[in-house]
């Protein structure tokens, strides 16, 4: 497995900017404050020369992630263990590696699955262990039938309504240095990847699910004291589409999901 090591000074500004971008009810963070869970996506940006980017704006296959022979990269989900605080203003390192692609054939044709692993260490040692699940597939067939959606649960004990426009998605793309064109280029999203509009970032949906957990269950998850979080993307959410993050408490943890305006399930996960 190819391994890379990145360092970041963990400046407070990106976290403060995300609070403003999402109008969150949080104080602006300063040096020494702990980074909320999953906000590490704001840090350790990956940059490659423009000649090493693919058609979708990501680094080209084979640069940071292995070549699969398939053009469409989709973020399927992952799992994280939060082991120690990551204080802002204290330098941290991220060690990353990707496994060899696993080739399969699904109902829509050939697929390739890539698992990436990240380990982030701060002043107290390893703080975050993350597994990212990526799937690569062929371009959609013109006029092909859409995948039937799954219906989302309705038995939540807490929920939060959201609607994110193109400016919101641009700001999140900028803060995470995410150049994937499905999040800002409508012509590309529609004409090449077959979506009806630009797509809300999967990591952003996951961040909003955890935000609900920390506000709805403060006695359990206050100050970001989350041990384990796993999640799976089910269906995309699009710009200006209303959706809700939902939570149902279960034992010492909770089930989380994102429900789109038409009732379809967009993302599901568990936290403990």
């Amino acid at each position: 497995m190819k391994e890379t090591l990145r360092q970041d000074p963990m400046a407070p500004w990106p976290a403060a900017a995300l609070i403003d971008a999402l109008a969150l009810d949080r104080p602006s963070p300063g040096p020494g404050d702990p980074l909320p869970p999953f906000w590490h996506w704001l840090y350790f940006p990956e940059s490659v020369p423009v000649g090493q980017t693919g058609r979708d704006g990501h680094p080209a296959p084979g640069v940071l992630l292995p070549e699969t022979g398939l053009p469409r990269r989709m973020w399927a989900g992952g799992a994280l263990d939060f082991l120690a605080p990551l204080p802002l203003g204290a330098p941290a390192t991220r060690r990353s590696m990707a496994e060899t692609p696993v080739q399969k054939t699904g109902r829509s044709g050939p697929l390739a699955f890539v698992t990436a692993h990240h380990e982030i260490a701060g002043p107290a040692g390893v703080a975050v262990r993350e597994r990212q699940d990526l799937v690569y597939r062929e371009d959609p067939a013109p006029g092909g039938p859409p995948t039937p959606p799954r219906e989302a649960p309705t038995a939540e004990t807490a929920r939060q309504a959201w609607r994110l426009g193109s400016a919101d998605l641009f700001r999140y793309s900028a803060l995470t240095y995410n150049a994937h064109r499905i999040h800002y280029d409508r012509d590309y999203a529609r004409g090449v990847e077959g979506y009806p509009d630009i797509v809300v970032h999967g990591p952003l949906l996951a961040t909003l699910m955890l935000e609900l957990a920390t506000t709805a269950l403060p006695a359990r998850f206050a100050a970001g004291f989350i041990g384990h979080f796993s999640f799976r993307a089910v269906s995309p959410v699009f710009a200006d589409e209303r959706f809700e993050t939902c939570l149902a408490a279960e034992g010492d943890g909770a089930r989380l999901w994102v429900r789109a305006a038409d009732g379809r399930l967009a993302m599901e996960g568990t936290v403990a």
Side-chain angles (χ1 to χ4, degrees):
M1 292 188 290
K2 180 180 178 181
E3 183 176 289
T4 60
L5 187 67
R6 303 189 69 83
Q7 296 181 329
D8 198 291
M10 304 298 291
W13 184 86
L18 183 62
I19 291 173
D20 290 340
L22 298 176
L24 298 177
D25 185 18
R26 284 178 175 268
S28 185
D33 289 335
L35 185 70
F38 215 81
W39 289 34
H40 62 280
W41 277 73
L42 302 174
Y43 298 89
F44 310 99
E46 295 176 337
S47 177
V48 301
V50 67
Q52 296 181 23
T53 57
R55 69 171 196 182
D56 62 1
H58 275 307
V63 176
L64 297 175
L65 292 170
E67 174 64 73
T68 66
L70 296 169
R72 295 179 70 201
R73 169 180 165 178
M74 305 174 72
W75 192 70
L80 300 96
D81 291 303
F82 299 98
L83 307 172
L86 273 174
L88 292 170
T93 59
R94 187 187 72 179
R95 189 179 304 275
S96 304
M97 61 193 71
E99 297 181 5
T100 301
V102 176
Q103 305 283 344
K104 295 184 179 180
T105 300
R107 287 179 296 178
S108 61
L111 303 170
F113 295 88
V114 174
T115 301
H117 300 274
H118 305 281
E119 186 176 86
I120 300 173
V126 176
V128 180
R129 288 196 177 99
E130 179 178 15
R131 187 197 78 230
Q132 292 178 8
D133 300 324
L134 307 171
V135 60
Y136 293 77
R137 61 200 323 160
E138 293 181 323
D139 287 331
T147 302
R150 282 176 55 192
E151 186 174 347
T154 57
E156 66 268 14
T157 55
R159 64 178 178 267
Q160 174 68 49
W162 294 92
R163 182 177 180 179
L164 300 174
S166 59
D168 302 310
L169 302 189
F170 168 80
R171 294 174 81 176
Y172 188 76
S173 288
L175 285 171
T176 56
Y177 203 73
N178 184 343
H180 198 175
R181 293 169 65 186
I182 63 171
H183 303 306
Y184 59 88
D185 186 337
R186 279 192 168 89
D187 290 341
Y188 174 84
R190 291 170 173 167
V192 178
E193 302 249 2
Y195 295 116
D197 206 336
I198 55 176
V199 180
V200 178
H201 310 66
L204 178 51
L205 295 178
T207 299
L208 295 178
M209 288 201 302
L210 284 183
E211 189 70 16
L212 179 62
T214 58
T215 56
L217 299 174
R220 174 65 182 87
F221 299 124
F225 293 133
I226 288 172
H228 181 78
F229 174 50
S230 61
F231 59 99
R232 189 168 71 91
V234 179
S235 178
V237 174
F238 303 102
D240 295 314
E241 181 180 19
R242 296 185 183 278
F243 66 93
E244 294 175 315
T245 52
C246 302
L247 175 148
E250 290 187 343
D252 292 333
R255 287 192 303 122
L256 300 164
W257 63 93
V258 174
R259 183 173 59 226
D262 62 359
R264 75 182 185 279
L265 179 65
M267 182 173 284
E268 59 186 353
T270 60
V271 64

